[in-house]
Amino acid sequence: WGAASGALELRATEGGVRVSGRFPYNVETELVPGRFEVFEARAFSGRIEAGEDLHLLSGHDYQKPLASRSAGSLEIRETPEALEFEARIEGGTSWATDFLAAYKAGLVRGLSPGFRVPAGGETIERRGNGLLRRITRAELFEVSTVTRPAFEAAQVEARSWQAETCDRSHVHPLKRWRL
């Protein structure tokens, strides 16, 4: 799963709360010292334009859905500058109540996309002693509200980034981003 800088905003409305978020494109994020990542504009366009069901989750947990396209409570779109969404959270679940309380307390402010990078959807470039992962195409499955809108060091350390090509045929498709 991936994450980078993002922003969330909540507005109370009749019948629930409107949540909007933005995940910027063409902004380099340093995940750990010397390891950078950037998403090119419209990197997520495939599943969005195909009308695939996408979800807004609490903390990348499919057991804690906040909104979805199929339920009619999530609108998601891309601009040249960012992936943007607006969701309607009506409550009624303990995790939605918890999310709204955490947001009100200032504990949750980040946005993180859950995605898979298909073969050919990224390049790895050497930069002095560091690496830059440029994501040109990714399959978006969900966006999540998170406390920290960047990879945690433990998650990134599990990744083995190499500038040369690697054989991905033996890797489960949902874990290919870790190579």
Side-chain angles (χ1 to χ4, degrees):
W1 301 102
S5 295
L8 288 174
E9 178 184 328
L10 268 65
R11 292 184 307 269
T13 63
E14 284 187 39
V17 175
R18 285 262 185 218
V19 179
S20 60
R22 189 171 197 274
F23 180 81
Y25 290 134
N26 298 311
V27 175
E28 284 187 20
T29 300
E30 187 171 22
L31 303 174
V32 295
R35 301 294 195 253
F36 297 86
E37 186 169 79
V38 64
F39 285 79
E40 290 191 359
R42 301 188 45 78
F44 296 120
S45 63
R47 288 180 49 86
I48 293 172
E49 290 176 1
E52 298 284 343
D53 192 19
L54 301 170
H55 295 83
L56 174 65
L57 304 176
S58 180
H60 294 293
D61 187 344
Y62 275 94
Q63 300 303 311
K64 296 181 179 178
L66 299 171
S68 74
R69 273 181 149 181
S70 64
S73 55
L74 176 65
E75 294 177 27
I76 195 158
R77 65 197 161 278
E78 283 189 303
T79 70
E81 295 80 32
L83 170 70
E84 298 175 341
F85 78 88
E86 186 163 307
R88 186 181 68 255
I89 299 176
E90 296 180 7
T93 62
S94 60
W95 56 87
T97 301
D98 290 346
F99 160 69
L100 295 171
Y103 184 88
K104 184 176 178 182
L107 300 173
V108 174
R109 290 287 192 260
L111 174 67
S112 175
F115 62 93
R116 182 183 76 80
V117 178
E122 67 183 354
T123 60
I124 307 293
E125 305 166 17
R126 288 209 181 276
R127 287 183 143 182
N129 291 334
L131 295 173
L132 170 66
R133 180 185 191 207
R134 183 175 306 279
I135 298 173
T136 57
R137 199 168 27 98
E139 297 172 350
L140 181 68
F141 294 95
E142 51 93 2
V143 289
S144 282
T145 61
V146 295
T147 55
R148 298 185 64 155
F151 288 111
E152 294 290 331
Q155 291 172 315
V156 175
E157 288 172 359
R159 197 186 278 185
S160 174
W161 284 16
Q162 298 176 0
E164 56 272 355
T165 305
C166 58
D167 177 16
R168 297 171 179 229
S169 61
H170 65 283
V171 179
H172 187 278
L174 293 177
K175 294 183 179 178
R176 286 188 178 151
W177 68 273
R178 291 180 182 233
L179 288 178

